[in-house]
Amino acid sequence: MIGNQKKTKGQIESEISDSITRFEKEHMGRGPLETKTYLIEDMILVRLKGVLTKAELSLVKSDRNIRARELIKQVRIELLENGRPLLEDMIKSITRRKVKSLHSDISTSTGEKMIIFTLDKAPEVEAKC
C-alpha cells in the first residue's frame, strides 16, 4: 500500500499467493506448482497444488501408506506451525489486518494443500471502477 492508497482485491490475492509460494520454497524446502488465493470478506483461502516432494510421493505409494500419510501430515503441520509467526506477519503486512486464526490441511493423495486465515476484520479494498 502506497501511503493510504488501497489495493484492489486482486492485488491483495496476488501478493499473498506470491508470498506464500516464497514461504513454501524458503521454509518448507519446496514450492508449490500452483498457488491461488481467494479473499472472502474477513477470510483468506490459499490453495496450493503440487506441494509434495518426490520422497513424500514415494512414501504415499508404498505398502505402508496409511502410516506414511499420517506422518507426512504431522510433519507438515509442525513445519507450518513453526513458521506461523512469519506467515501472520506476512498477511498483516499485505492486508493491514491481524490474523485471528490459521487452519491448514494437506491431501497426500492429490498433493494439494489448503491454508485458511481468518482476520480480525475484512481488509479495505479499492472499489472497482
Side-chain angles (χ1 to χ4, degrees), residues 17 20-21 24 31-36 46-51 111-115:
S17 289
I20 294 283
T21 299
E24 288 281 322
L33 298 176
E34 182 183 335
T35 305
K36 182 75 176 152
V46 184
R47 181 180 185 187
L48 302 101
K49 293 182 180 180
V51 297
E112 184 174 79
K113 178 178 180 177
M114 304 293 274
I115 305 172

Side-chain angles (χ1 to χ4, degrees), residues 23 27 77-88 102:
F23 170 85
H27 191 73
I77 287 168
E78 287 300 318
L79 289 170
L80 188 70
E81 283 298 319
N82 189 48
R84 186 179 183 136
L86 296 171
L87 286 169
E88 289 182 359
L102 182 156

Side-chain angles (χ1 to χ4, degrees), residues 6-104:
K6 295 178 188 173
K7 297 175 191 175
T8 65
K9 181 177 181 264
Q11 287 172 320
I12 291 171
E13 291 170 337
S14 178
E15 281 185 48
I16 291 170
S17 289
D18 291 346
S19 295
I20 294 283
T21 299
R22 198 167 37 258
F23 170 85
E24 288 281 322
K25 287 179 182 174
E26 294 170 3
H27 191 73
M28 306 295 259
R30 181 181 191 278
L33 298 176
E34 182 183 335
T35 305
K36 182 75 176 152
T37 299
Y38 304 90
L39 176 60
I40 308 161
E41 297 176 13
D42 65 343
M43 184 175 62
I44 298 166
L45 171 67
V46 184
R47 181 180 185 187
L48 302 101
K49 293 182 180 180
V51 297
L52 296 177
T53 65
K54 287 182 183 180
E56 289 169 329
L57 289 169
S58 292
L59 272 176
V60 169
K61 292 176 185 172
S62 75
D63 292 337
R64 302 171 56 169
N65 89 3
I66 292 173
R67 179 165 157 63
R69 288 174 190 264
E70 288 306 311
L71 288 172
I72 290 166
K73 284 182 175 253
Q74 287 175 3
V75 168
R76 290 295 185 127
I77 287 168
E78 287 300 318
L79 289 170
L80 188 70
E81 283 298 319
N82 189 48
R84 186 179 183 136
L86 296 171
L87 286 169
E88 289 182 359
D89 288 347
M90 177 192 70
I91 294 296
K92 186 175 182 179
S93 73
I94 295 169
T95 64
R96 305 290 189 240
R97 297 290 182 249
K98 185 177 178 186
V99 174
K100 283 179 26 178
S101 63
L102 182 156
H103 310 274
S104 175

